[in-house]
Amino acid sequence: MLSIMFGAKDISLETIKEAFIHFDASNPDHQILMHSRLPRTIGTCLIGAFLAISGALMQGMTRNYLASPSIMGVSDGSVFFITLAMVFFPGINTVELIFFSLAGSAFGVGVVFGLGSILPHGLSPVRLAILGTIVGTFLSSLASAFAIYFKTSQNISFWYNARLHQLDPSMIKLIIPFALAGLSLAIYLSKSITVLSLGDQVAIGLGEKVTRIKWLTILTVAILTGISVAMAGKVAFVGLLVPHMTRYLIGNDYRWIIPSAGLLGGIFLLSADLVSRFLNSPFETPISVVTSFIGVPFFIYLIKRNGGKAHV
């Protein structure tokens, strides 16, 4: 409700009630509410939920307290493929853009975990985070080089500096099938991720098909992160912060962590979005600026507290 009410132009509760009961296309407040403020609120909730669930799945699967889509190169992979799509297929439609974003997510997570599996101790928390940062920076730089060379920098800036106020309302409808698939897989995997978070040997001893679970988890993360980036661009640190908050509040059972992380992720990103509207009012501040103010100190705290131990 706060997200719907407050912004560059505040909208009263009475006006909101009128817009829902008797929408008047000639009323500018009704137009702002239905075509901008409401889609933005819904989209922000969904993005926060998807990224938080992705982070929880990654942390549980790898037992890595630093795992998240923005740190492990998953989001950068999405943006890189979106850049390639806009450079080489300038007439691309929204649905095709979503598929490119999904492919980019899968590519990013595949490269990072692939390198981690072949390097000595590459899957340890700090080394995997370093690998993710290196791969993400490389993909980001490569995308920027393509964009500058082909003169599309202005077009792709949206995906590198997420601006929720520019979210396309039609995108919300288009991502519904992908969202349902990703969320269903996350709920299906939740019990297995709880077992996997105890270690691969324990999971094998309890009868889990570890390789299959890991591949399905990677697919789920790629879907949820891919549609998040396609909707509003790269949003940092939500997938790192929220799973830790969730485990602190409710424990280590992923059957509860997955839905709770989704709920808290939506609340967290909505709160950050509200703050971003007033930092430089009446102009909008990119959402990642707000999340980074909280995320960077928390990232440093996690490294200081846990060192290089593979433990969540």
Side-chain angles (χ1 to χ4, degrees):
M1 185 56 67
L2 292 173
S3 178
I4 292 172
M5 288 174 65
F6 297 113
K9 187 182 192 308
D10 294 345
I11 300 176
S12 68
L13 282 172
E14 188 62 33
T15 303
I16 294 171
K17 181 181 176 182
E18 289 174 3
F20 278 108
I21 297 174
H22 301 293
F23 176 73
D24 181 2
S26 64
N27 187 323
D29 285 347
H30 289 195
Q31 289 280 6
I32 291 170
L33 177 67
M34 290 300 188
H35 299 297
S36 176
R37 202 69 62 79
L38 186 60
R40 175 177 181 168
T41 299
I42 294 171
T44 301
C45 279
L46 293 175
I47 292 166
F50 297 157
L51 293 176
I53 291 171
S54 296
L57 289 171
M58 293 177 76
Q59 290 174 14
M61 179 186 76
T62 62
R63 302 181 69 234
N64 183 340
Y65 55 88
L66 297 178
S68 80
S70 59
I71 293 173
M72 296 303 175
V74 189
S75 299
D76 290 294
S78 284
V79 178
F80 174 60
F81 269 54
I82 286 173
T83 303
L84 294 180
M86 298 189 71
V87 166
F88 296 110
F89 307 100
I92 189 170
N93 63 40
T94 306
V95 176
E96 291 167 338
L97 197 68
I98 293 173
F99 279 108
F100 269 95
S101 184
L102 293 171
S105 287
F107 177 77
V109 72
V111 170
V112 172
F113 282 101
L115 289 174
S117 63
I118 63 175
L119 294 175
H121 308 293
L123 294 177
S124 67
V126 174
R127 290 197 180 190
L128 196 60
I130 292 171
L131 274 175
T133 303
I134 291 171
V135 170
T137 302
F138 174 73
L139 293 176
S140 176
S141 301
L142 202 59
S144 296
F146 273 106
I148 291 169
Y149 183 80
F150 289 98
K151 298 180 176 59
T152 60
S153 299
Q154 190 66 34
N155 294 337
I156 69 162
S157 64
F158 169 77
W159 281 278
Y160 277 105
N161 300 293
R163 296 180 177 89
L164 296 172
H165 65 287
Q166 295 179 2
L167 188 148
D168 182 1
S170 66
M171 185 72 79
I172 296 173
K173 295 178 182 179
L174 294 173
I175 60 96
I176 288 175
F178 303 101
L180 291 175
L183 293 174
S184 299
L185 276 171
I187 297 298
Y188 168 74
L189 292 167
S190 59
K191 182 179 178 181
S192 298
I193 294 294
T194 302
V195 178
L196 206 60
S197 67
L198 301 174
D200 286 4
Q201 295 304 316
V202 174
I204 292 170
L206 292 174
E208 292 289 348
K209 298 178 180 178
V210 171
T211 302
R212 175 175 170 271
I213 295 301
K214 287 185 175 180
W215 277 111
L216 284 175
T217 303
I218 288 173
L219 174 63
T220 307
V221 169
I223 292 172
L224 294 177
T225 304
I227 58 179
S228 298
V229 174
M231 287 173 70
K234 181 182 174 182
V235 180
F237 292 110
V238 177
L240 175 69
L241 280 162
V242 177
H244 284 282
M245 293 164 52
T246 308
R247 278 191 297 272
Y248 177 79
L249 292 171
I250 67 167
N252 296 309
D253 188 343
Y254 279 80
R255 289 174 297 179
W256 291 101
I257 288 174
I258 297 300
S260 300
L263 178 63
L264 287 176
I267 293 170
F268 175 81
L269 197 59
L270 266 181
S271 303
D273 182 40
L274 270 170
V275 173
S276 75
R277 301 178 196 184
F278 300 103
L279 277 181
N280 190 30
S281 182
F283 303 103
E284 295 274 356
T285 302
I287 189 67
S288 287
V289 173
V290 180
T291 56
S292 295
F293 271 122
I294 307 169
V296 171
F298 187 75
F299 180 81
I300 295 170
Y301 162 74
L302 286 175
I303 295 175
K304 184 177 184 299
R305 187 188 69 177
N306 295 300
K309 296 179 291 181
H311 177 69
V312 174

